[in-house]
Amino acid sequence: MGKFFVVIIIIVGLGVGMYFLFTSTSSSNENSYNAAEIVTGAADIKIKEKADKDLAIAKAYELYRQAIVEGTDLSNGPCLSNKVIDDWVVDVAHDPRQAVDDEPANQCSAYRSGEAHHFVELNTSGELIRAE
């Protein structure tokens, strides 16, 4: 009977320790996850979404550099890729936005049609405007 209580105390102690470990991290840190997110797999989804976003941004920079090397005219804010990775496009736009950026010919058709749900937007100098 004594061993049973020792095991219970260890289990409760581990549970309390994990609770404090996961609740003591700052909620402002986008890489911190609560215990419910970890248990349900929601943390895995958030990690994959962040990895996809980071990869799409990195590839967007690569496509921009390639377009510059090839002498592509970026002044109209063209679409650089309708599928830089699954579900992501890369578009060039002006910052602040100009009327030419809203012309369908200068936008990624995969995003406009709903084929892709995320985009990386770089300005004409190759700097990140936003990625969503």
Side-chain angles (χ1 to χ4, degrees):
M1 192 72 163
K3 289 181 183 181
F4 175 75
F5 287 115
V6 171
V7 170
I8 295 297
I9 290 171
I10 291 172
I11 291 172
V12 169
L14 287 172
V16 169
M18 287 185 67
Y19 172 80
F20 284 112
L21 174 69
F22 291 117
T23 59
S24 66
T25 58
S26 171
S27 62
S28 64
N29 181 354
E30 66 181 47
N31 294 323
S32 64
Y33 307 101
N34 65 40
E37 289 173 324
I38 292 169
V39 171
T40 63
D44 293 339
I45 293 168
K46 286 183 177 182
I47 291 168
K48 182 182 180 334
E49 288 172 351
K50 179 160 179 12
D52 285 351
K53 181 178 181 179
D54 291 346
L55 179 59
I57 292 169
K59 288 191 172 216
Y61 288 137
E62 189 178 306
L63 284 173
Y64 178 86
R65 284 190 294 275
Q66 181 181 351
I68 293 298
V69 167
E70 293 173 355
T72 304
D73 180 13
L74 303 176
S75 62
N76 287 337
C79 175
L80 292 181
S81 176
N82 271 307
K83 187 175 182 181
V84 66
I85 63 170
D86 284 341
D87 209 25
W88 285 81
V89 302
V90 178
D91 197 9
V92 175
H94 297 86
D95 191 18
R97 203 162 177 82
Q98 296 178 6
V100 70
D101 297 319
D102 295 326
E103 294 177 13
N106 296 325
Q107 297 176 339
C108 294
S109 59
Y111 187 77
R112 284 187 296 109
S113 71
E115 257 179 81
H117 299 94
H118 303 282
F119 63 89
V120 176
E121 195 171 47
L122 302 177
N123 67 18
T124 55
S125 299
E127 298 164 336
L128 181 66
I129 297 172
R130 59 188 174 152
E132 298 178 4

